[in-house]
């Protein structure tokens, strides 16, 4: 008689499978999942949750990545088998063929604005720190922009490497120092030599004779122009007094 | 917001075994059990996000989770028939604890499958009362049924389980 009841009680002693609670926490977005991916930039650890990619780092080991994530982002982290299409999505994102969603919770509104703006810099182009500052409505906060970019939790994905100093110096890079930054920019098709030669002579903008429009030297609209048809300017006033107006696409100055 | 996440984290860690066991007893296989348990916690999280701090504090977590889980199972069954039990034990990814050796696991699975063959109204009552060991009042609350109904259903369910050897097997 009683055996059924004893049996039933044993049924209640079953344990949930290993890692179950972590998976649940990841599913509701309290904890993030992560995996290691082979990319054009080499192996990168990438963390994500239901809101999007939350972190990426070229850490030496999984343990190093986990430590950094817990300290910096402050959430739980679980290593998982990545969804089958994620590797391809990451590849596309890094090659500029796709726009992924990002989870920037936990960052200050200012940092979020800086990173969102940075996402708008197209592949193959660069912008000065001051440009980001002006575009997000804090023209004086140039150094703060530098700090926000230095602490970018998702480098490569959010292209902080496309923001450089006006004097042509590449500037620091959290994702592997100035050399790595120069390497990624070259990979994306930026003519660093030309850019730096111009910057060293103090020339920040290029104008096109026929259109009377001036751009940042990496702007897409300058690519079809022959070198002898360019005029170069030191600053906005010089360009404007020569009768040029700012490009509406790369927005070197307020139109 | 931060507080809710903490509460939820504890809720999951404290109750995961219990809710998984409930899922196993109600569905009869480990795969569905995990689905049910996961759905249950996800729903619980969404609900918690809309509750006031007072409501969260006064929540009878155990009964509340059981009620959600029972509803998850009821909604599933509405759409899909319960899966057949895998007799060859082909679910290697569900690593069991060290105390749960293969033989024991097979026994438990067989038992769960037997319970899963009970008609739903008996199954829910029997599982909540004798697997989860809730009081009749708690079971009644979780199922939204009067205590008397629950008692009768538990009794009939147990009778079916015991009488299975000479009862109707093809049910």
């Amino acid at each position: 008689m009683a055996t059924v009841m004893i049996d039933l009680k044993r049924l209640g002693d079953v344990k949930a499978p290993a890692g179950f609670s972590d998976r649940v926490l990841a599913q509701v977005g309290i904890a993030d999942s992560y995996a290691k991916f082979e990319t054009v930039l080499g192996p990168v650890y990438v963390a994500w949750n239901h809101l999007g990619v939350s972190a990426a780092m070229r850490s030496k080991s999984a343990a190093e990545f986990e430590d950094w994530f817990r300290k910096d982002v402050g959430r739980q982290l679980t290593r998982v088998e990545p969804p089958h299409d994620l590797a391809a999505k990451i590849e596309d994102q890094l090659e500029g063929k796709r726009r992924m969603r990002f989870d920037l919770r936990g960052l200050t509104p200012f940092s979020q604005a800086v990173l969102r703006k940075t996402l708008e810099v197209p592949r193959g182009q660069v912008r000065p720190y001051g440009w980001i500052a002006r575009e997000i409505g804090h023209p004086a906060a140039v150094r703060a922009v530098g700090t926000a970019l230095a602490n970018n939790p998702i480098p490569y994905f959010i292209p902080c490497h496309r923001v450089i100093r006006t004097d042509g110096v590449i500037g620091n890079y959290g994702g592997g120092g100035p050399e790595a930054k120069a390497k990624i920019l070259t990979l994306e098709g930026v003519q660093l030599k030309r850019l730096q030669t111009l910057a060293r002579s103090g020339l920040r903008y290029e104008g096109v004779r026929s259109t009377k429009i001036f751009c940042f030297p990496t702007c897409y609209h300058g690519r079809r122009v022959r070198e002898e048809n360019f005029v170069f300017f030191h600053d906005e006033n010089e360009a404007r007094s020569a009768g040029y107006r700012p490009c509406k696409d790369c927005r070197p100055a307020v139109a | 917001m931060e507080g809710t996440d903490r509460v939820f984290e504890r809720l999951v860690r404290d109750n995961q075994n219990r809710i998984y066991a409930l899922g196993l007893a109600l569905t009869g296989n480990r795969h569905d059990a995990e689905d049910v348990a996961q759905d249950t916690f996800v729903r619980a999280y969404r609900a918690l996000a809309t509750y006031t701090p007072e409501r969260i504090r006064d929540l009878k977590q155990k009964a509340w989770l059981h009620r959600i889980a029972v509803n998850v199972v009821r909604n599933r069954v509405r759409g899909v028939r319960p899966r057949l039990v895998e007799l060859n034990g082909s679910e290697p990814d569900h690593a069991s604890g060290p105390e749960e050796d293969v033989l024991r696991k097979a026994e438990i699975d067989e038992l769960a499958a037997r319970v899963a063959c009970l008609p739903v109204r008996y199954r829910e009552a029997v599982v909540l009362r004798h697997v989860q060991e809730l009081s009749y009042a708690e079971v009644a609350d979780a199922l939204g049924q009067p205590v008397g109904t629950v008692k009768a259903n538990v009794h009939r369910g147990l009778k079916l389980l015991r009488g299975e050897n000479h009862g109707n097997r093809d049910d």
Side-chain angles (χ1 to χ4, degrees):
Chain A
M1 267 304 256
T3 54
V4 175
M5 252 123 91
I6 293 165
D7 281 352
L8 286 175
K9 211 175 146 193
R10 279 201 318 170
L11 204 47
D13 296 335
V14 178
K15 299 262 182 297
F20 174 79
S21 59
D22 287 333
R23 284 198 291 281
V24 169
L25 294 180
Q27 205 184 341
V28 299
I30 295 181
D32 293 29
S33 311
Y34 83 98
K36 187 180 172 183
F37 294 91
E38 290 299 327
T39 70
V40 279
L41 305 164
V44 179
Y45 288 93
V46 180
W48 70 90
N49 58 45
H50 66 302
L51 292 175
V53 173
S54 55
M57 209 42 80
R58 286 202 278 194
S59 308
K60 285 190 199 72
S61 66
E64 191 187 296
F65 180 72
E66 285 188 23
D67 280 354
W68 167 80
F69 185 91
R70 293 214 172 91
K71 217 165 73 223
D72 218 72
V73 184
R75 283 194 297 268
Q76 301 287 325
L77 194 61
T78 318
R79 187 162 190 163
V80 299
E81 222 20 74
H84 62 96
D85 55 343
L86 190 56
K89 281 186 186 167
I90 287 176
E91 191 85 35
D92 285 356
Q93 166 78 27
L94 295 179
E95 286 176 8
K97 293 179 196 157
R98 171 191 284 275
R99 289 182 164 217
M100 292 179 111
R101 289 184 305 141
F102 298 101
D103 176 16
L104 299 178
R105 283 178 304 169
L107 297 175
T108 61
F110 180 82
S111 292
Q112 293 193 16
V114 169
L115 296 177
R116 298 259 175 241
K117 185 48 78 176
T118 304
L119 276 170
E120 293 177 18
V121 183
R123 192 178 159 85
Q125 302 191 25
V126 293
R127 298 282 183 275
Y129 289 100
W131 180 83
I132 303 266
R134 194 195 73 216
E135 287 269 319
I136 62 172
H138 296 274
V142 180
R143 294 209 75 104
V145 167
T147 310
L149 288 174
N151 294 322
N152 176 9
I154 326 174
Y156 327 116
F157 291 78
I158 296 179
C160 54
H161 55 273
R162 291 179 199 154
V163 183
I164 67 169
R165 282 170 47 170
T166 5
D167 59 7
V169 175
I170 287 290
N172 254 324
Y173 187 41
E179 304 82 38
K181 191 167 175 178
K183 210 172 129 193
I184 298 177
L185 286 176
T186 310
L187 196 78
E188 292 188 343
V190 176
Q191 291 175 293
L192 272 185
K193 275 240 169 60
R194 176 174 183 266
L195 192 67
Q196 283 176 320
T197 316
L198 285 175
R200 246 176 258 128
S201 350
L203 297 169
R204 293 184 184 175
Y205 308 118
E206 64 183 21
V208 180
R209 281 185 217 281
S210 56
T211 58
K212 296 275 178 188
I213 294 171
F214 70 100
C215 300
F216 283 116
T218 53
C219 177
Y220 165 79
H221 295 288
R223 292 211 195 138
R224 292 159 293 172
V225 180
R226 267 182 283 171
E227 201 65 30
E228 67 260 29
N229 289 330
F230 280 126
V231 210
F232 297 97
F233 301 111
H234 292 87
D235 54 41
E236 188 191 335
N237 279 343
E238 195 186 354
R240 284 199 197 268
S241 47
Y244 285 73
R245 70 150 175 91
C247 169
K248 284 176 182 168
D249 217 35
C250 67
R251 298 189 290 280
V254 185
Chain B
M1 196 61 207
E2 204 63 37
T4 312
D5 285 0
R6 268 302 114 68
V7 170
F8 181 72
E9 233 179 290
R10 203 151 7 92
L11 185 81
V12 174
R13 299 208 194 282
D14 291 351
N15 292 288
Q16 54 172 336
N17 292 335
R18 183 166 252 289
I19 296 301
Y20 178 75
L22 175 62
L24 180 60
L26 287 178
T27 64
N29 74 77
R30 284 169 194 265
H31 183 275
D32 288 348
E34 190 170 344
D35 277 2
V36 166
Q38 205 157 335
D39 277 7
T40 301
F41 284 115
V42 170
R43 282 189 191 203
Y45 181 74
R46 293 203 190 120
L48 275 182
T50 67
Y51 288 3
T52 60
E54 297 79 53
R55 184 159 178 203
I56 293 177
R57 202 188 51 231
D58 298 339
L59 203 60
K60 289 179 200 144
Q61 292 188 348
K62 204 167 72 175
W64 180 65
L65 277 176
H66 279 86
R67 196 160 55 235
I68 297 176
V70 165
N71 284 329
V72 166
V73 175
R74 284 178 179 170
N75 288 337
R76 283 166 64 83
V77 173
R78 211 170 282 160
V80 283
R81 301 284 307 156
R83 289 187 351 157
L84 290 175
V85 203
E86 276 142 273
L87 291 173
N88 52 5
S90 62
E91 299 257 312
D93 55 332
H94 292 113
S96 48
E99 75 280 15
E100 217 183 326
D101 60 37
V102 182
L103 193 69
R104 219 186 99 100
K105 194 173 163 182
E107 271 175 32
I108 295 232
D109 282 355
E110 203 215 286
L111 182 61
R114 247 173 68 199
V115 173
C117 288
L118 288 176
V120 180
R121 59 184 186 283
Y122 299 159
R123 193 196 317 156
E124 288 174 351
V126 167
V127 167
L128 290 180
R129 178 70 190 98
H130 288 292
V131 178
Q132 303 296 88
E133 302 184 293
L134 300 186
S135 70
Y136 277 114
E138 285 170 322
V139 179
D141 189 31
L143 294 179
Q145 293 165 346
V147 176
T149 310
V150 172
K151 282 185 178 171
N153 285 341
V154 169
H155 178 76
R156 288 175 196 139
L158 284 180
K159 208 162 146 191
L160 268 181
L161 273 180
R162 285 193 198 107
E164 212 193 43
N165 288 335
H166 38 85
N168 44 343
R169 285 213 125 199
D170 346 51
D171 184 44

